[in-house]
Amino acid sequence: MLESFIVPLLAATVQSGTPILYATLGEILTEKGGVLNLGVEGMMSMAAFVAFAVAYTTGNPWLAFICGGLAGTMMAMLHGFVCITCLGNQVVSGLALTILGVGLCNFLGTPFIGLAAPGFSKFAIPVLSSIPYIGKIFFKQDALVYFCYFIPFIFMIFMNRTSLGIAITAVGEKPGAAAAAGLKSIRLRWMALLGGGFLIGLGGAYLSLAYTHLWANGLAGGRGWIAVALVIFAFWRPGRAVFGAYLFGGVMAFQLRLQAIGTHIPSSLLLMLPYALTILVLIFSAVRGRGGNAPAHLGINIEPEG
Amino acid sequence: MLGYRLQKRDEPWSWGAPIIVVGALVLSLGLSALLLELQGKSAVEGLFVLWQGAFGTSWALEDAILKSIPIFLCALGVATAFRMQVWNIGAEGQFALGAIGATWAALSFPDLPGYLLMPLMFLSAAVCGGFWAYIPAILRLKLKVNEIISTLMLNYIAILLLEYLVFGVWKDSKSYGFPVTPEFTGGAVIGQIGDSRLHWGFVVCIGAGLGMWAFMRFTRLGFDIKVAGEGQRVAIYSRLPYGKLTILVMAISGALAGWAGCIETSAVVNRLQPSIMVGYGYTAIVVAWLARLHPLYIAISAYLLAALRIGVENMQLELQIPAAFGSIMEGLILMSVLAGQMLVTYKITRKK
């Protein structure tokens, strides 16, 4: 049971939690700067497609991974143009971004359906992978997973220890006061949004480069929305985001494995699990009462003076 | 930046709204045409086929009216919630629940005469759709759970519930394995109006539209909803029952989307099947926002977006352009309307 079910399940958990973690961290960065971005689902889909297309045409998965991130940044730019420059409603703009992104990748991706592209494959890290159980779970993964082990720490140091990170937090809390203190509020907001978009894009790229190696419509499958919910669950903190992302990774992996074994539970009920869990997670965070941890100016545009 | 800045207008630009909507439509058409060119397809031919499909024949015009029925009802619903700044993104799921509710009534009481069964189906659809919207409403009120995400997650759950039912307990034994319920018969089918292709769901639509307009305009509750739309604080200072109003707008919203689901199953496909879920609930958000939440404009923009969907179907048939082209246009329209809206309150001036 342990060797044949639990260990492979946990290894799959790490893999399927990784794209969610990238996206959740990206959304935390975005929201820290005060912009609510509900376009994550669209951005991940678009990034997954761009990454796949680049990997397919160039054969270079690393380039593809970076291009996926840049696709996320481009989408974030559109959101920024509507919300930061044109003062549009952030909620509706995010929804529009999702509609647009999902539509665009399904449209452009049609000729790629069924093709396979080079991606990232798993390799064992010497020594570490020979630790019993732990090695198989954590150290027989692909490069992007290993990469993801470091990102939360870098993220934490960036947000709490660098002046840029602290300035971004200030803009999300009180853009007026930040501006009075000499910070360029609008510019910082843009940086948080575009940087966050890049991370979200990396999460999307993971889906087509490491998770599947092929392109299909609806590849994001609601993970973008789960990431948005996890930001609330994480109280805007990277540490808890790690926990949340792997919790969801676990549920998704578990659900897939149950289907593979062929239980008597109908697959549609199993597929409901992650979505139902998202609602439960939100309820849980609400009961813990830390929704008040949100950046004070989240979702509120900075009006021009005069 | 760039030497330009926004300056507040002394008074709102009165002609702004219609000009911006038209401008947004033109811009999105232009960008979509560009996208076609980049794909190596002729934009002129594409847009011509789109136009032909949407407005070229009387058959297409009728089709657009038929398709605009569910979109209109869903949009009327989400607009009611948006008015109070309650972000109901769940019309898609509430639509599915309405279809499930109506199917339950139709399959449970197949022998009832139409004048009893039809009201029962509409009631059941409204209760199911309303209930699906009540869950996020109560979660938001009692626990401050973000309704945007909860309504969205409930969409996914609703669609899977629908699939579970048609793949399982409600599956037609004579369907050769296809996931469909038995066909509705007799009183469970909404009939055509006279000899036309229109069905009586159209009349329900007009009734709902007029009803909502009158409700918002002439009743105390409608007035309260508008006041509460100014924000929760305003509502509390005005001694309005903010919580009850939130539940009310969500229930209305869900019930209307539920009716859309009922009409779609009963009048269009005559049975429940997963293919009824084609994203009307998401299109409804675009429609409501384009129409600035006003019932009459919702009717117009529902018609336009229904026509767009049919035009895109035509492009799909004639030029092998994927159906996703429609959502690209919807996304572009919504984004450009949002970006343009600032011109109502601001003007762009050169920096001194």
Side-chain angles (χ1 to χ4, degrees):
Chain A
M1 180 71 180
L2 190 66
E3 276 292 335
S4 67
F5 191 77
I6 308 260
V7 170
L9 174 68
L10 289 177
T13 294
V14 171
Q15 202 196 13
S16 77
T18 297
I20 301 176
L21 182 53
Y22 276 110
T24 307
L25 291 175
E27 182 69 3
I28 291 180
L29 178 58
T30 308
E31 293 196 6
K32 275 283 187 183
V35 179
L36 178 67
N37 185 354
L38 296 179
V40 183
E41 180 81 3
M43 294 163 81
M44 282 182 89
S45 310
M46 199 53 203
F49 163 70
V50 169
F52 182 85
V54 172
Y56 180 79
T57 42
T58 67
N60 184 341
W62 284 103
L63 182 69
F65 187 53
I66 300 295
C67 286
L70 291 177
T73 305
M74 298 275 285
M75 299 279 288
M77 213 179 268
L78 207 54
H79 188 56
F81 174 73
V82 172
C83 303
I84 301 180
T85 309
C86 298
L87 309 169
N89 184 306
Q90 294 184 8
V91 172
V92 187
S93 169
L95 292 170
L97 200 61
T98 290
I99 298 177
L100 181 65
V102 173
L104 208 52
C105 72
N106 289 353
F107 175 77
L108 298 172
T110 308
F112 290 88
I113 291 174
L115 301 177
F120 292 88
S121 40
K122 297 182 181 183
F123 63 92
I125 291 186
V127 187
L128 286 177
S129 60
S130 52
I131 306 171
Y133 306 128
I134 304 284
K136 275 198 183 133
I137 295 167
F138 291 102
F139 301 109
K140 281 188 177 162
Q141 299 284 359
D142 55 75
L144 305 184
V145 172
Y146 299 137
F147 193 36
C148 202
Y149 292 160
F150 296 101
I151 292 185
F153 296 104
I154 300 169
F155 192 91
M156 252 182 265
I157 294 167
F158 172 74
M159 282 323 284
N160 301 327
R161 295 273 181 274
T162 67
S163 54
L164 183 58
I166 292 166
I168 286 175
T169 308
V171 168
E173 292 295 338
K174 278 196 170 134
L183 296 174
K184 304 232 178 252
S185 300
I186 302 268
R187 191 175 298 174
L188 286 162
R189 210 164 235 215
W190 267 108
M191 286 164 95
L193 175 67
L194 298 183
F198 187 75
L199 277 174
I200 295 168
L202 295 185
Y206 186 88
L207 291 173
S208 61
L209 294 177
Y211 199 69
T212 60
H213 295 150
L214 48 79
W215 172 251
N217 284 351
L219 202 56
R223 286 179 182 81
W225 295 110
I226 289 170
V228 175
L230 279 181
V231 173
I232 302 170
F233 171 76
F235 307 141
W236 290 264
R237 285 191 195 148
R240 287 181 57 100
V242 174
F243 174 68
Y246 289 127
L247 174 70
F248 269 89
V251 170
M252 286 181 160
F254 179 68
Q255 169 259 108
L256 274 178
R257 252 138 227 277
L258 273 190
Q259 280 189 57
I261 297 172
T263 54
H264 294 296
I265 311 167
S267 64
S268 14
L269 293 185
L270 286 174
L271 286 169
M272 280 179 198
L273 277 176
Y275 308 118
L277 180 69
T278 309
I279 296 176
L280 284 180
V281 148
L282 284 178
I283 292 174
F284 174 77
S285 348
V287 172
R288 293 284 303 275
R290 297 288 287 275
N293 225 17
H297 264 70
L298 180 61
I300 303 167
N301 287 325
I302 302 175
E303 303 272 329
E305 309 127 48
Chain B
M1 241 189 283
L2 302 175
Y4 291 94
R5 60 190 223 114
L6 295 179
Q7 197 177 27
K8 208 154 201 156
R9 288 173 192 272
D10 298 330
E11 50 191 279
W13 182 22
S14 49
W15 275 97
I19 292 178
I20 288 162
V21 168
V22 172
L25 289 172
V26 172
L27 179 71
S28 343
L29 267 177
L31 287 173
S32 321
L34 191 68
L35 187 67
L36 286 181
E37 282 290 334
L38 291 176
Q39 282 277 294
K41 298 194 162 111
S42 159
V44 178
E45 196 188 353
L47 292 185
F48 178 73
V49 172
L50 180 76
W51 177 266
Q52 273 296 316
F55 304 107
T57 58
S58 61
W59 181 269
L61 295 176
E62 276 177 342
D63 248 7
I65 295 177
L66 285 173
K67 265 213 166 72
S68 66
I69 291 170
I71 298 177
F72 173 80
L73 285 171
C74 290
L76 196 62
V78 296
T80 313
F82 286 177
R83 245 175 210 287
M84 251 187 83
Q85 297 182 44
V86 176
W87 299 104
N88 178 17
I89 315 299
E92 187 77 358
Q94 293 143 18
F95 175 93
L97 257 286
I100 290 171
T103 307
W104 168 79
L107 296 180
S108 308
F109 309 100
D111 301 325
L112 274 186
Y115 61 88
L116 285 178
L117 182 53
M118 204 43 79
L120 181 67
M121 282 167 69
F122 271 88
L123 178 69
S124 161
V127 170
C128 288
F131 169 72
W132 213 241
Y134 173 78
I135 303 171
I138 205 81
L139 286 177
R140 172 179 147 144
L141 286 174
K142 299 280 176 211
L143 296 166
K144 294 200 172 113
V145 169
N146 185 316
E147 79 276 15
I148 300 172
I149 305 170
S150 58
T151 49
L152 252 158
M153 293 296 126
L154 286 168
N155 287 348
Y156 286 102
I157 296 177
I159 294 169
L160 289 164
L161 183 67
L162 192 155
E163 282 178 9
Y164 165 71
L165 290 169
V166 294
F167 275 100
V169 284
W170 284 353
K171 190 162 155 180
D172 183 7
S173 53
K174 297 188 285 291
S175 72
Y176 305 103
F178 285 109
V180 293
T181 66
E183 206 161 328
F184 294 177
T185 48
V189 175
I190 297 175
Q192 318 305 112
I193 306 175
D195 292 331
S196 72
R197 287 174 65 216
L198 280 183
H199 53 73
W200 288 98
F202 183 61
V203 177
V204 174
C205 239
I206 293 174
L210 288 175
M212 280 310 296
W213 173 76
F215 171 73
M216 291 304 290
R217 174 118 198 218
F218 299 116
T219 66
R220 176 66 203 270
L221 267 175
F223 179 74
D224 287 353
I225 289 173
K226 273 187 244 169
V227 174
E230 301 294 317
Q232 189 161 4
R233 260 199 213 140
V234 177
I236 291 166
Y237 290 144
S238 327
R239 296 176 187 277
L240 290 176
Y242 184 79
K244 280 185 189 151
L245 290 174
T246 305
I247 291 180
L248 178 72
V249 291
M250 281 298 272
I252 291 176
S253 200
L256 285 170
W259 275 8
C262 173
I263 291 172
E264 197 67 6
T265 27
S266 165
V268 181
V269 284
N270 298 336
R271 58 173 21 146
L272 188 62
Q273 57 190 48
S275 67
I276 63 163
M277 303 308 301
V278 288
Y280 288 140
Y282 296 109
T283 300
I285 298 167
V286 184
V287 166
W289 210 258
L290 261 182
R292 318 189 83 203
L293 314 181
H294 188 287
L296 177 64
Y297 301 141
I298 290 177
I300 298 170
S301 63
Y303 178 77
L304 281 178
L305 286 205
L308 173 68
R309 269 172 176 262
I310 292 162
V312 170
E313 274 172 23
N314 201 37
M315 289 170 89
Q316 209 179 341
L317 279 177
E318 305 230 334
L319 304 173
Q320 282 76 49
I321 286 164
F325 191 72
S327 11
I328 297 176
M329 288 199 62
E330 283 182 16
L332 285 174
I333 292 169
L334 193 47
M335 290 219 108
S336 33
V337 166
L338 279 177
Q341 227 132 45
M342 65 152 178
L343 293 172
V344 173
T345 36
Y346 292 93
K347 58 185 170 193
I348 303 168
T349 53
R350 207 174 254 286
K351 231 179 219 168
K352 281 171 207 126

